Amino acid sequence: MGYNSRVPVVKPLLNSRQRKKRLTWAMEKKHRTVAEWSKVLFSDESKCSFGSQGARGWRKAGEEQNPSCLKSSVKFPQSVMVWGAMSAAGVGPLCFIKSRVNAAVYQEILEHYMLPSAEKLYGDEDFIFQHDLAPAHSAKTTSNWCTDHGITDLDWPANSPDLNPIENLWGIVKKKLKDTRPNNANELKAAIEASWASIKPEQCHRLIASMPRRIDAVIRAKGFPTKY
């Protein structure tokens, strides 16, 4: 009948209130141009782990227990949390996060990594800063920090990674990590930095240019998750 067994695509669970807010946000932003989106500094944290998740390999029948065909598992795999920012002009410096991100830690990240990212990508030009609604991001003290530093925030709907083009950059980084074999956290960090540094400004510009299409997709989906 044309059906095939497939692993379901994982998307954030959205309640009716969140879907309505996503739709309202998209309707408000639907007339923004690519040039206007180019003034937005997008940011996000991501977790990167050891190993090549989902990797496939070639083998003959009966070779499934051959050592060269096995994939080793780790009971407690190590991972690193990293923060980054991007604009249409490229990417900013990475921050490897060593502790739980509360408001104070997040403001340190903004001070030492977001501001240098803005300086690198915008110089003296004005920009708008995007971050999601994680508790540390939406804390009152973080809002005060942004106000004190003259940072304009972009209002953002909850549970909307499909609207953030930096998610695609994290996907590129993690795809490249599948070809590496780091033996410890320092080697993993080095591999992440190398992958991040290889991202070209042209890639970032193409992702920023997709914002009108992302917004249109949210409108057509009536606030539900989209393909992005």
Side-chain angles (χ1 to χ4, degrees):
M1 296 176 66
Y3 286 96
N4 291 287
S5 176
R6 294 288 186 271
V7 177
V9 175
V10 178
K11 293 287 184 178
L13 178 64
L14 296 168
N15 59 38
S16 59
R17 181 175 57 84
Q18 290 169 334
R19 295 196 301 270
K20 182 178 180 180
K21 286 189 174 182
R22 277 167 53 89
L23 181 58
T24 299
W25 185 91
M27 293 297 292
E28 291 173 350
K29 304 293 190 292
K30 67 178 181 178
H31 296 303
R32 287 200 177 188
T33 65
V34 173
E36 290 175 304
W37 285 114
S38 296
K39 295 191 176 293
V40 177
L41 180 68
F42 290 89
S43 71
D44 194 25
E45 298 94 357
S46 187
K47 179 184 288 187
C48 297
S49 304
F50 288 95
S52 51
Q53 300 295 327
R56 294 174 176 266
W58 295 96
R59 72 179 186 221
K60 296 179 180 179
E63 291 186 339
E64 59 271 11
Q65 298 302 322
N66 189 312
S68 64
C69 297
L70 297 177
K71 178 182 177 183
S72 299
S73 63
V74 180
K75 191 171 184 179
F76 301 106
Q78 293 191 50
S79 62
V80 297
M81 183 67 74
V82 60
W83 178 95
M86 59 89 73
S87 75
V91 298
L94 288 178
C95 172
F96 290 100
I97 303 169
K98 300 178 181 179
S99 62
R100 185 177 67 87
V101 181
N102 56 26
V105 170
Y106 184 60
Q107 289 157 36
E108 287 291 319
I109 294 172
L110 297 181
E111 181 78 36
H112 299 293
Y113 294 90
M114 186 276 282
L115 292 180
S117 295
E119 175 66 24
K120 172 187 174 183
L121 299 170
Y122 291 100
D124 295 329
E125 295 181 9
D126 292 335
F127 71 97
I128 300 172
F129 180 53
Q130 179 278 334
H131 51 181
D132 60 28
L133 300 181
H137 302 179
S138 57
K140 180 64 175 177
T141 56
T142 299
S143 178
N144 291 340
W145 186 96
C146 290
T147 299
D148 292 344
H149 288 77
I151 304 300
T152 301
D153 283 351
L154 175 69
D155 59 302
W156 195 254
N159 284 0
S160 298
D162 54 342
L163 287 169
N164 194 344
I166 201 173
E167 295 287 350
N168 298 88
L169 293 191
W170 292 131
I172 292 171
V173 168
K174 292 176 181 180
K175 185 176 181 180
K176 291 182 178 181
L177 290 179
K178 291 182 178 182
D179 297 327
T180 66
R181 294 293 182 269
N183 296 308
N184 52 55
N186 287 334
E187 290 184 6
L188 177 59
K189 290 178 181 179
I192 294 169
E193 287 180 325
S195 179
W196 185 255
S198 71
I199 295 171
K200 295 178 171 54
E202 293 80 10
Q203 291 175 287
C204 296
H205 187 272
R206 284 196 296 269
L207 289 172
I208 297 299
S210 72
M211 286 302 297
R213 298 193 298 274
R214 292 171 190 255
I215 290 170
D216 182 61
V218 170
I219 294 172
R220 286 187 283 105
K222 294 181 171 56
F224 278 92
T226 67
K227 68 177 184 178
Y228 292 96

